[in-house]
């Protein structure tokens, strides 16, 4: 198994890691409800499942 010949300095290690960044998630706004959600994903709001601005499914109410 290959191992490093010499110790990598903190500077070299950190230079390599500069490209690993955390990005904020891109959110889309529903045209119907104005709710923020992940793009191309359905989301629940007040017992209704919305996708692409339309109600896809409603939650069953158990009596």
């Amino acid at each position: 198994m290959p191992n490093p010949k010499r110790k990598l300095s903190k500077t070299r290690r950190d230079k390599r890691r500069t490209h690993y960044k955390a990005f904020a998630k891109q959110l889309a706004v529903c045209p119907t409800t104005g709710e923020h959600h992940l793009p191309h994903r359905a989301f629940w709001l007040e017992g209704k499942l919305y996708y692409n601005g339309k109600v896809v499914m409603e939650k069953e109410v158990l009596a």
Side-chain angles (χ1 to χ4, degrees), residues 33-60:
T33 62
E35 190 75 16
H36 293 279
H37 62 93
L38 291 173
H40 306 287
R41 304 281 196 298
F43 65 97
W44 287 97
L45 182 69
E46 297 172 356
K48 295 178 183 176
L49 184 69
Y50 287 90
Y51 182 74
N52 206 14
K54 299 175 189 131
V55 177
V56 180
M57 187 188 319
E58 290 195 26
K59 206 172 210 177
E60 285 186 16

Side-chain angles (χ1 to χ4, degrees):
M1 186 151 219
N3 287 315
K5 201 78 158 178
R6 301 202 183 287
K7 181 180 178 178
L8 222 61
S9 71
K10 292 172 196 158
T11 307
R12 272 188 186 273
R13 177 200 66 199
D14 294 345
K15 275 192 215 175
R16 185 183 71 243
R17 292 181 182 172
T18 58
H19 303 289
Y20 300 140
K21 299 180 181 104
F23 292 101
K25 293 192 177 194
Q26 296 290 332
L27 294 176
V29 179
C30 178
T32 309
T33 62
E35 190 75 16
H36 293 279
H37 62 93
L38 291 173
H40 306 287
R41 304 281 196 298
F43 65 97
W44 287 97
L45 182 69
E46 297 172 356
K48 295 178 183 176
L49 184 69
Y50 287 90
Y51 182 74
N52 206 14
K54 299 175 189 131
V55 177
V56 180
M57 187 188 319
E58 290 195 26
K59 206 172 210 177
E60 285 186 16
V61 179
L62 299 174

